[in-house]
């Protein structure tokens, strides 16, 4: 079984832009906002997880039922168990692929970006 990669973190209620060692931010003329691209990755993760969990739960239930000696009374049943085992493995690899892609993209995307909105200007 595979372990899920780290999920992108949603913006906390009291989270503020990062503060550097030289002061509140590198450029005081710029305002900061939570990166909308990063937010999309958080939404993508939260959207796909329930679907992957539903698929996993359904396949696990079918696999458990197929392995039960009360379900199959013929040797042909082992073929169906093997098919379900293969589908469970495929789903696990697909899940790892999708979640790793989102996680890798989130690790390469900054959480905060500078914006010119609400920045002080010399002329109104």
């Amino acid at each position: 079984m595979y372990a899920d990669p780290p999920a992108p973190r949603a913006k906390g209620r009291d989270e503020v832009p990062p503060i550097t060692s030289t002061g509140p931010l590198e450029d005081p003329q710029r305002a900061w906002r939570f990166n909308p691209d990063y937010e999309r990755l958080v939404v993508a993760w939260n959207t796909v997880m329930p679907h992957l969990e539903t698929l996993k739960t359904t396949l696990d239930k079918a696999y458990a039922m197929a392995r039960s000696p009360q379900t199959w009374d013929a040797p042909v049943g082992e073929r169906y168990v093997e098919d379900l085992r293969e589908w469970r493995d495929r789903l696990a690899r697909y899940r790892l692929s999708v979640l790793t892609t989102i996680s890798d993209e989130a690790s390469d995307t900054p959480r905060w970006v500078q914006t010119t909105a609400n920045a002080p200007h010399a002329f109104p």
Side-chain angles (χ1 to χ4, degrees), residues 56-67 72 84 88:
K56 181 184 179 307
T57 302
T58 303
L59 273 176
D60 287 348
K61 183 178 175 183
Y63 181 72
M65 288 175 59
R67 290 190 64 207
W72 299 106
L84 285 170
R88 288 175 67 214

Side-chain angles (χ1 to χ4, degrees), residues 23-42:
L25 295 171
E26 294 94 19
D27 185 3
Q29 298 298 317
R30 288 297 197 80
W32 290 77
R33 68 178 177 145
F34 196 72
N35 191 346
D37 292 334
Y38 192 90
E39 184 66 30
R40 282 189 212 94
L41 293 169
V42 172

Side-chain angles (χ1 to χ4, degrees), residues 6-9 38 41-42 101-111:
R9 292 180 297 120
Y38 192 90
L41 293 169
V42 172
T101 301
I102 294 171
S103 181
D104 288 350
E105 188 68 28
S107 68
D108 293 339
T109 305
R111 289 176 56 81

Side-chain angles (χ1 to χ4, degrees), residues 30-91:
R30 288 297 197 80
W32 290 77
R33 68 178 177 145
F34 196 72
N35 191 346
D37 292 334
Y38 192 90
E39 184 66 30
R40 282 189 212 94
L41 293 169
V42 172
V43 169
W45 182 283
N46 292 335
T47 301
V48 76
M49 277 304 286
H51 296 294
L52 291 172
E53 285 297 323
T54 300
L55 287 171
K56 181 184 179 307
T57 302
T58 303
L59 273 176
D60 287 348
K61 183 178 175 183
Y63 181 72
M65 288 175 59
R67 290 190 64 207
S68 170
Q70 298 170 347
T71 304
W72 299 106
D73 194 19
V76 72
E78 185 58 37
R79 185 174 64 212
Y80 294 109
V81 171
E82 196 60 41
D83 286 346
L84 285 170
R85 188 178 299 129
E86 182 179 332
W87 278 105
R88 288 175 67 214
D89 188 47
R90 286 182 186 181
L91 178 63

